[in-house]
Amino acid sequence: MVHLTGEEKSAVTALWGKVNVEEVGGEALGRLLVVYPWTQRFFESFGDLSTADAVMKNANVKKHGKKVLASFSEGLKHLDDLKGTFAALSELHCDKLHVDPENFRLLGNVLVVVLARHFGKEFTPELQSAYQKVVAGVATALAHKYH
Amino acid sequence: MVLSPADKTNVKGTWAKVGNHGAEFGAEALERMFTSFPSTKTYFSHFDLGHGSAQIKGHGKKVADALTKAVGHIDNLPDALSELSDLHAHELRVDPVNFKLLSHCLLVTLALHLPADFTPSVHASLDKFLASVSTVLTSKYR
């Protein structure tokens, strides 16, 4: 459960309304794979990930980034029940995908950096703080069903 | 973790673009860290942490100057940061987890102010550089 004030929730939603989910999703996932190359271990079937340029232009990365961020978008509509919202995805990431939850934290922080890059000064310290709570909440929810 | 020649070029290039905004960016990164990660404020109970605080500005400049020194001696960080390393180990004793939090906020600040320059490769190089600096600053802890 994420503890955001009414103001924070409005600010988070307002900014998200301006996000191009496809573009930001692709950029965030791409940057994750470039900045933390060990995360590529989950994407061996994606094709050429050999250079930063190859990663950022990779169609599979863009497609998957869009999928991931669309799911995150859904979470933003249910900030009061992230664990419920992400229960099935949590089981999937544990039982089938075998993803270390640390990766959710890494991706969350990369997303924050991407939002800062896109929105500049509009991404105030207070807005960053609200988003840090959201990404932490989503990461925790995705790890919740791990066993 | 080793900084490649390309990493060093990226870091120096970015720092040149920071120019004389170092103190301002340092202060902003600190403010972002205090706002997003309130536990970090525990090390600054003696500071006025309000927005625009002179103490945060002063400390931002200190952080920026240390990073400028690190960039200038990127081939030998342990030597260049030896005194700061002693200070953090024996006086400040900041828990190592906090270096990641400040590093993250420094990346956010740089991405925000230098969006076109903050390419994925530069992002990676800066993350590695800040992690290297953090490792040196915590290297004498025990």
Side-chain angles (χ1 to χ4, degrees):
Chain A
M1 169 126 179
V2 189
H3 295 286
L4 295 181
T5 63
E7 235 175 67
E8 284 176 318
K9 278 185 198 174
S10 301
V12 163
T13 309
L15 191 86
W16 200 255
K18 303 185 210 178
V19 166
N20 178 327
V21 166
E22 180 168 359
E23 196 188 312
V24 167
E27 184 178 341
L29 184 63
R31 281 176 183 264
L32 178 77
L33 298 176
V34 170
V35 179
Y36 309 108
W38 55 92
T39 58
Q40 293 175 20
R41 70 192 299 284
F42 302 107
F43 304 103
E44 316 238 274
S45 63
F46 271 28
D48 186 8
L49 299 177
S50 59
T51 63
D53 212 50
V55 169
M56 300 313 287
K57 294 187 167 141
N58 184 302
N60 286 317
V61 171
K62 291 185 191 192
K63 187 169 153 202
H64 197 68
K66 180 182 175 185
K67 196 178 183 184
V68 167
L69 215 68
S71 179
F72 185 86
S73 278
E74 201 46 41
L76 285 183
K77 299 177 191 163
H78 303 279
L79 288 172
D80 292 330
D81 183 26
L82 288 176
K83 288 187 175 146
T85 305
F86 287 108
L89 269 176
S90 179
E91 281 176 14
L92 178 79
H93 280 78
C94 173
D95 299 333
K96 297 274 174 340
L97 304 177
H98 310 292
V99 177
D100 178 347
E102 180 58 23
N103 291 286
F104 309 140
R105 289 178 260 282
L106 286 179
L107 181 58
N109 277 334
V110 170
L111 177 59
V112 167
V113 170
V114 170
L115 290 174
R117 198 179 84 82
H118 277 250
F119 290 104
K121 292 184 183 173
E122 197 180 337
F123 199 66
T124 60
E126 291 72 26
L127 195 45
Q128 178 189 347
S129 175
Y131 268 96
Q132 296 287 173
K133 290 191 215 179
V134 172
V135 301
V138 170
T140 300
L142 279 171
H144 187 64
K145 292 286 194 179
Y146 273 57
H147 60 95
Chain B
M1 152 176 44
V2 173
L3 294 174
S4 69
D7 288 327
K8 292 177 189 179
T9 301
N10 284 339
V11 170
K12 286 177 196 257
T14 303
W15 214 250
K17 298 239 162 75
V18 166
N20 50 17
H21 291 281
E24 179 199 326
F25 291 1
E28 182 176 336
L30 286 170
E31 185 182 355
R32 284 178 179 278
M33 184 185 72
F34 294 139
T35 309
S36 282
F37 309 109
S39 59
T40 57
K41 295 191 290 186
T42 56
Y43 294 96
F44 294 91
S45 53
H46 55 298
F47 265 33
D48 162 18
L49 295 180
H51 179 70
S53 143
Q55 284 176 308
I56 296 190
K57 285 186 185 170
H59 203 69
K61 180 172 183 336
K62 253 190 198 173
V63 168
D65 287 347
L67 288 173
T68 300
K69 185 173 186 191
V71 172
H73 294 86
I74 203 164
D75 291 319
N76 194 348
L77 292 176
D79 256 15
L81 299 174
S82 181
E83 271 172 37
L84 264 179
S85 180
D86 287 333
L87 182 76
H88 283 78
H90 304 125
E91 313 269 338
L92 304 177
R93 291 170 291 181
V94 172
D95 190 282
V97 72
N98 295 287
F99 292 91
K100 281 194 185 184
L101 302 179
L102 180 56
S103 295
H104 169 66
C105 290
L106 279 162
L107 289 179
V108 167
T109 304
L110 290 170
L112 193 146
H113 288 281
L114 304 170
D117 302 295
F118 199 79
T119 62
S121 301
V122 166
H123 179 171
S125 299
L126 287 168
D127 192 276
K128 282 172 75 175
F129 169 69
L130 292 173
S132 301
V133 169
S134 302
T135 298
V136 169
L137 290 179
T138 56
S139 62
K140 300 180 193 176
Y141 270 38
R142 57 178 169 168

